[in-house]
Amino acid sequence: PTEQQGVSEINRDVWLLPELSPAREDEIVGRIRECEELSGKWAVIRTVGIRDHNRKQICKLLVDYASHDFFYEYEPGRSVYDVDLDSFEREDRQISEKLLYQLREEWSSLELVYDEERYLALVSELEKIRPSADKLESMFYWILVQWERYVPLDLTSVFDRAELRCWADWLLWLEKMRKDIRSSFVETHYSDDMMASVIKAVDYINRNISLDLKLTEVAEEVHISRSYFSECFKNITGKTFNEYIRDARVDYAKSLLSQTNEPIYRISEKCGYPDEKYFSKVFRKKVGALPSEFRKRGQGASVQERP
């Protein structure tokens, strides 16, 4: 399309056609619907409520709609959408940082992997609030960093390669992430309820990593007897309770050493080791380097971690 033909690009992937006669409009829409080559690649947004707006206002409204609401409303296979720009303009599109923080905290819980009811409730909440695609991406990148502390998967790399063009893509991707995380745990004969309880324990451990965590207390938190919890925890995570806590603390310490300039004694405390010398001993035994050495080597790229 060219400007001479009356079509102009107003933003990346957004093109504006001038007002057409009803017959011409129906012809274009019909061709879009019939052309299989355009399916999933192009969509027509027919607008009303634009007569009282100048071109600049119309372009802004269309760009806002295409980059925000259309992101959620797009349905694979559907090629025509009718939009009232007047109603779109009246909506309050601001989302508070407090609400985004709350969403981020709720989504970071690994319980969502097995708790279908809670997962669907949070999906519904996002669909109602409709954060922009940029805010959604930023929020979930942070969430994946948290999930990586719980499971042996490189989730952020998978995220970087994902093609998330619309909310429908996000839903498919989220389901895949949940499935992959479930698969990362040792395959067992346990019920989904038991798996959910152990994941809740894993979540609790990582959220309270600075505390003096005891097996009995965590077992009580997830309402399982001490002995049975110990057995289930090892069978599902592949580690004993104490091994998991040690590894979780070391992993958290590695991220703090790599991403912050906090003094090592403070990192030691945050990771549940009030004694800095003992922390350094545990860290060196697991990682093969003292915390200070690990930090100097730049995120530990040359350090081979020990089992």
Side-chain angles (χ1 to χ4, degrees):
T2 65
E3 293 282 354
Q4 287 72 23
Q5 294 172 310
V7 181
S8 57
E9 186 175 15
I10 60 175
N11 197 42
R12 189 186 69 173
D13 297 332
V14 182
W15 295 77
L16 176 65
L17 280 73
E19 187 174 356
L20 303 172
S21 67
R24 180 65 175 143
E25 181 179 302
D26 290 342
E27 178 190 348
I28 292 175
V29 170
R31 289 173 62 183
I32 290 285
R33 282 178 168 155
E34 292 172 4
C35 186
E36 293 183 3
E37 293 181 1
L38 296 181
S39 178
K41 298 178 181 178
W42 286 87
V44 173
I45 300 172
R46 291 195 294 196
T47 62
V48 296
I50 63 174
R51 291 187 179 277
D52 296 329
H53 296 82
N54 59 39
R55 178 185 172 84
K56 184 176 181 181
Q57 291 171 326
I58 292 171
C59 290
K60 182 180 184 304
L61 288 171
L62 283 173
V63 169
D64 286 347
Y65 174 78
S67 62
H68 193 277
D69 281 47
F70 184 69
F71 175 83
Y72 287 91
E73 294 172 6
Y74 174 75
E75 301 171 11
R78 181 182 172 190
S79 54
V80 180
Y81 299 79
D82 294 297
V83 178
D84 183 346
L85 289 183
D86 276 346
S87 64
F88 179 76
E89 186 179 27
R90 286 193 296 269
E91 293 177 6
D92 181 6
R93 318 208 58 76
Q94 296 301 315
I95 299 174
S96 70
E97 289 301 318
K98 181 179 180 181
L99 178 55
L100 285 173
Y101 176 81
Q102 179 183 335
L103 283 171
R104 193 178 72 174
E105 290 297 308
E106 290 176 345
W107 273 95
S108 66
S109 171
L110 206 62
E111 291 179 61
L112 296 176
V113 172
Y114 277 95
D115 192 335
E116 190 71 12
E117 184 177 348
R118 187 178 176 193
Y119 167 73
L120 292 176
L122 286 178
V123 165
S124 179
E125 187 175 8
L126 278 180
E127 291 174 342
K128 180 180 178 181
I129 297 170
R130 294 189 172 187
S132 68
D134 288 342
K135 288 186 181 297
L136 201 64
E137 182 175 339
S138 175
M139 182 179 80
F140 271 100
Y141 193 88
W142 184 90
I143 289 165
L144 289 180
V145 171
Q146 308 313 305
W147 284 359
E148 282 183 337
R149 291 169 52 195
Y150 308 161
V151 295
L153 296 174
D154 190 357
L155 300 175
T156 50
S157 292
V158 174
F159 182 70
D160 289 337
R161 297 192 299 271
E163 292 188 10
L164 304 171
R165 299 181 304 161
C166 62
W167 180 236
D169 291 339
W170 276 87
L171 291 176
L172 291 173
W173 176 81
L174 283 169
E175 285 294 351
K176 184 180 185 305
M177 285 297 99
R178 295 174 75 221
K179 181 180 179 181
D180 289 348
I181 291 172
R182 288 196 295 267
S183 299
S184 72
F185 289 96
V186 178
E187 215 172 303
T188 70
H189 60 279
Y190 294 110
S191 67
D192 281 355
D193 285 344
M194 179 55 69
M195 294 289 289
S197 294
V198 170
I199 286 181
K200 182 178 180 180
V202 166
D203 199 31
Y204 180 84
I205 289 168
N206 282 278
R207 288 177 181 276
N208 297 278
I209 203 71
S210 64
L211 304 181
D212 182 18
L213 296 164
K214 304 295 185 184
L215 188 147
T216 302
E217 295 171 358
V218 178
E220 288 178 357
E221 182 70 24
V222 296
H223 310 295
I224 304 176
S225 68
R226 182 188 185 283
S227 58
Y228 191 47
F229 172 75
S230 179
E231 174 190 334
C232 295
F233 190 93
K234 182 177 181 180
N235 289 339
I236 292 173
T237 66
K239 300 177 183 179
T240 66
F241 180 79
N242 288 331
E243 286 172 344
Y244 185 90
I245 289 180
R246 179 204 62 188
D247 291 352
R249 285 174 169 162
V250 169
D251 286 343
Y252 187 39
K254 286 163 65 178
S255 68
L256 292 176
L257 288 165
S258 301
Q259 300 167 18
T260 75
N261 292 318
E262 291 194 68
I264 291 174
Y265 78 86
R266 181 63 182 139
I267 291 176
S268 174
E269 293 172 352
K270 284 188 172 183
C271 295
Y273 293 107
D275 186 335
E276 183 184 345
K277 289 184 178 179
Y278 182 67
F279 162 67
S280 295
K281 179 180 178 181
V282 172
F283 189 93
R284 183 175 186 178
K285 184 177 181 180
K286 177 65 180 174
V287 180
L290 291 169
S292 56
E293 295 170 339
F294 179 89
R295 173 172 272 171
K296 286 179 182 178
R297 295 183 192 185
Q299 299 185 14
S302 59
V303 177
Q304 182 64 47
E305 187 166 316
R306 299 172 181 177

